[in-house]
Amino acid sequence: MSAPPVTLIGNPVSPYVRKILAICAVKGIEVAIDPITPFRGDEAFSTISPLRRIPVWIEGDVTLCDSSIIAQYIEETRPEPSVLPASAAERAKARWIEEYADTRLFDVLGWKLFFQLAIKPRILKEEIDRDLVEQAKAVEIPETFDYLETLMPDAGFLFGTEAGLADFSLAPAFLNARVVGVEVDTARWPRLAAWLKRVEEETPLKRLNALAMASLTTKLPDQPAMIAEHGYVIAARSHDGGRAMRGPMSPV
Ligand SMILES: N[C@@H](CCC(=O)N[C@@H](CS)C(=O)NCC(=O)O)C(=O)O
């Protein structure tokens, strides 16, 4: 079997990586994964990802950083089936939801929660900022969920009966929050909780979340073999640097 023409660098534990893999699943795009853990890229990784962030998409002489840029490129080069709604106004709204997910939602569920409680002690071997975590849990996460509750549909997905870019941008980080103890309270945010259940159970995110959970419980050197056992192609070359190194924009 020949290797897929696309390499995606990044571990599925990253919500941004699962966003791209979910879009690939919907569009039937096969990729080879180099499942490096965030912060562990080698020296050459700085050249292809100047912020030392995952995901990175490599296809021939096209190298792209940032999940939004990658998602847009995929949509432009493989337009069917589209992951965007039909009207210009709804497409703009979907992109706003993606932006909100990538910035504010990831700020609270990613940086202030999962990064503090899982990545800092396990990967960076650094102290957890407990005050930051408590402030996020008490104030910032509820505020974020309050806003998301206003966006949620009665049934189906954010823009109809098929999950798309907006759903795959928002939903993945909730798994990271759950593994460090933060759930969406179904009594307080019933529409958000119901939508999340649908995305997690009825779309390609189900398989990808299972892969992320398996990555979290598998030692780093064993992860490529484990991911291959889940049916994914592993890239021939890895950018794993074997040690943790902070990128230029990683927070304290
Ligand atoms: N805006 C970027 C964010 C990517 C990102 O922050 N990735 C994290 C992993 S979830 C990372 O690689 N962090 C390493 C760092 O910031 O140094 C995107 O959408 O791809």
Side-chain angles (χ1 to χ4, degrees):
M1 196 178 75
S2 60
V6 176
T7 297
L8 183 69
I9 305 178
N11 196 287
V13 169
S14 161
Y16 300 105
V17 170
R18 268 175 288 139
K19 176 207 300 192
I20 298 303
L21 288 172
I23 293 170
C24 287
V26 166
K27 290 176 178 281
I29 305 164
E30 209 187 339
V31 299
I33 303 176
D34 172 8
I36 65 167
T37 297
F39 304 99
R40 281 177 54 100
D42 59 13
E43 296 291 338
F45 187 60
S46 299
T47 313
I48 55 178
S49 179
L51 300 181
R52 294 186 59 76
R53 288 186 159 168
I54 55 171
V56 177
W57 178 275
I58 302 175
E59 183 175 5
D61 52 13
V62 175
T63 297
L64 303 172
C65 303
D66 193 283
S67 63
S68 302
I69 306 294
I70 296 168
Q72 189 175 0
Y73 178 77
I74 296 173
E75 181 71 11
E76 286 182 7
T77 53
R78 288 100 162 161
E80 297 299 332
S82 177
V83 289
L84 286 168
S87 76
E90 288 207 321
R91 282 199 297 278
K93 191 173 169 199
R95 291 193 191 97
W96 157 247
I97 293 173
E98 179 185 29
E99 173 65 12
Y100 185 84
D102 291 358
T103 54
R104 185 57 175 156
L105 185 67
F106 192 77
D107 183 42
V108 294
L109 298 187
W111 293 122
K112 291 178 179 156
L113 202 65
F114 187 77
F115 174 73
Q116 287 295 332
L117 295 173
I119 298 281
K120 269 189 152 183
R122 288 171 56 162
I123 305 295
L124 296 174
K125 316 283 184 216
E126 292 177 11
E127 292 264 312
I128 297 167
D129 182 339
R130 299 268 172 203
D131 291 343
L132 197 75
V133 173
E134 290 317 312
Q135 165 75 10
K137 282 185 179 173
V139 180
E140 294 177 80
I141 292 172
E143 276 174 6
T144 308
F145 289 3
D146 283 347
Y147 171 61
L148 293 179
E149 183 75 2
T150 69
L151 300 179
M152 291 299 148
D154 293 332
F157 301 101
L158 283 161
F159 294 95
T161 54
E162 303 296 329
L165 177 74
D167 304 278
F168 296 137
S169 300
L170 278 181
F174 288 90
L175 179 80
N176 300 66
R178 196 176 302 133
V179 298
V180 291
V182 171
E183 299 265 2
V184 178
D185 179 342
T186 52
R188 189 164 173 193
W189 299 287
R191 295 162 76 88
L192 177 61
W195 162 85
L196 183 61
K197 193 164 187 290
R198 292 191 293 275
V199 184
E200 290 187 334
E201 290 184 358
E202 298 170 23
T203 79
L205 196 62
K206 180 174 186 174
R207 184 172 170 228
L208 293 165
N209 278 358
L211 187 65
M213 285 305 289
S215 293
L216 284 165
T217 52
T218 302
K219 290 196 176 108
L220 297 185
D222 300 333
Q223 289 189 4
M226 178 279 295
I227 291 169
E229 274 166 24
H230 276 72
Y232 294 89
V233 177
I234 295 297
R237 186 225 194 282
S238 177
H239 279 282
D240 180 25
R243 69 188 172 91
M245 198 198 305
R246 274 175 167 276
M249 281 186 60
S250 67
V252 287

